[in-house]
Amino acid sequence: MPQTSATPQRIEALRSLHSQAVETGQHLALDLKQIQAQHGQARDKLHNLQNYASEYRRQLQALESQGGDWSNVRDLRGFIAKVDAAQTAQLAEINRIQALHAEKSKAWAAARQREKAYELLLAQQHVHVKSLAQKRALAEMQDWALNPQSQFVNTNQPTKF
């Protein structure tokens, strides 16, 4: 039975591959958690920029309605333009983070699939080993049934009965 000697080696190889898949999945899960935190921070920053822009627009509107100094109006408009540019850049950053999150999510799902596949293969190998052991035991029982001479009794010596 050549398969019996290779089976423990296969099981060990599958265990090793399963361990690697689990480790990869754990690293990717940590990466996803980190990316989610970055996404939350980026959204908070965008929200703050939007609030700043809204506040400065109100100030500009009040300054213009009161007939404020032209240089102050110009400076405030320039500052609002910078805040708008920062919002645009922050939206791009959020989009970049979302794309990275999608990429890492796919990688994590693939690692998780590999992990589950190795678990299935390990279970199949264990069933195979158990089946081989049962076949071996059955063969020994059949051999014993066909050869009724027990290994425990020496039939060459006369019995007392």
Side-chain angles (χ1 to χ4, degrees):
M1 292 183 187
Q3 289 182 326
T4 57
S5 63
T7 301
Q9 292 169 345
R10 272 188 263 169
I11 289 174
E12 198 53 43
L14 286 172
R15 281 185 183 145
S16 176
L17 291 169
H18 177 259
S19 276
Q20 290 171 5
V22 167
E23 190 175 321
T24 300
Q26 289 172 343
H27 286 298
L28 289 169
L30 288 174
D31 287 350
L32 278 173
K33 188 175 181 179
Q34 208 172 31
I35 290 168
Q36 288 172 335
Q38 289 174 356
H39 186 258
Q41 292 169 351
R43 287 182 52 198
D44 289 346
K45 186 174 180 180
L46 177 63
H47 182 70
N48 288 339
L49 287 168
Q50 289 168 336
N51 287 339
Y52 292 144
S54 177
E55 178 60 33
Y56 290 121
R57 281 191 175 84
R58 277 193 292 271
Q59 288 179 16
L60 177 63
Q61 189 176 26
L63 191 60
E64 288 175 334
S65 67
Q66 295 170 358
D69 184 25
W70 170 246
S71 64
N72 288 342
V73 170
R74 183 191 66 215
D75 291 344
L76 199 50
R77 283 183 183 168
F79 184 72
I80 290 171
K82 288 180 183 179
V83 172
D84 288 343
Q87 286 182 69
T88 301
Q90 193 60 29
L91 279 171
E93 177 65 6
I94 288 171
N95 290 336
R96 183 193 69 79
I97 291 171
Q98 286 173 335
L100 183 61
H101 184 272
E103 179 185 316
K104 292 288 184 176
S105 290
K106 286 180 185 177
W108 177 82
R112 190 75 174 127
Q113 275 185 319
R114 277 191 303 278
E115 179 183 341
K116 291 299 176 186
Y118 290 130
E119 287 174 6
L120 179 64
L121 289 171
L122 276 167
Q124 289 173 346
Q125 284 298 308
H126 287 295
V127 167
H128 180 68
V129 167
K130 187 176 180 180
S131 173
L132 287 176
Q134 288 173 343
K135 285 179 185 177
R136 199 174 311 118
L138 181 61
E140 288 173 6
M141 286 179 22
Q142 288 174 341
D143 185 46
W144 181 81
L146 293 174
N147 299 318
Q149 295 178 353
S150 173
Q151 295 177 358
F152 300 110
V153 178
N154 187 349
T155 56
N156 294 335
Q157 293 181 353
T159 61
K160 295 181 183 180
F161 301 105

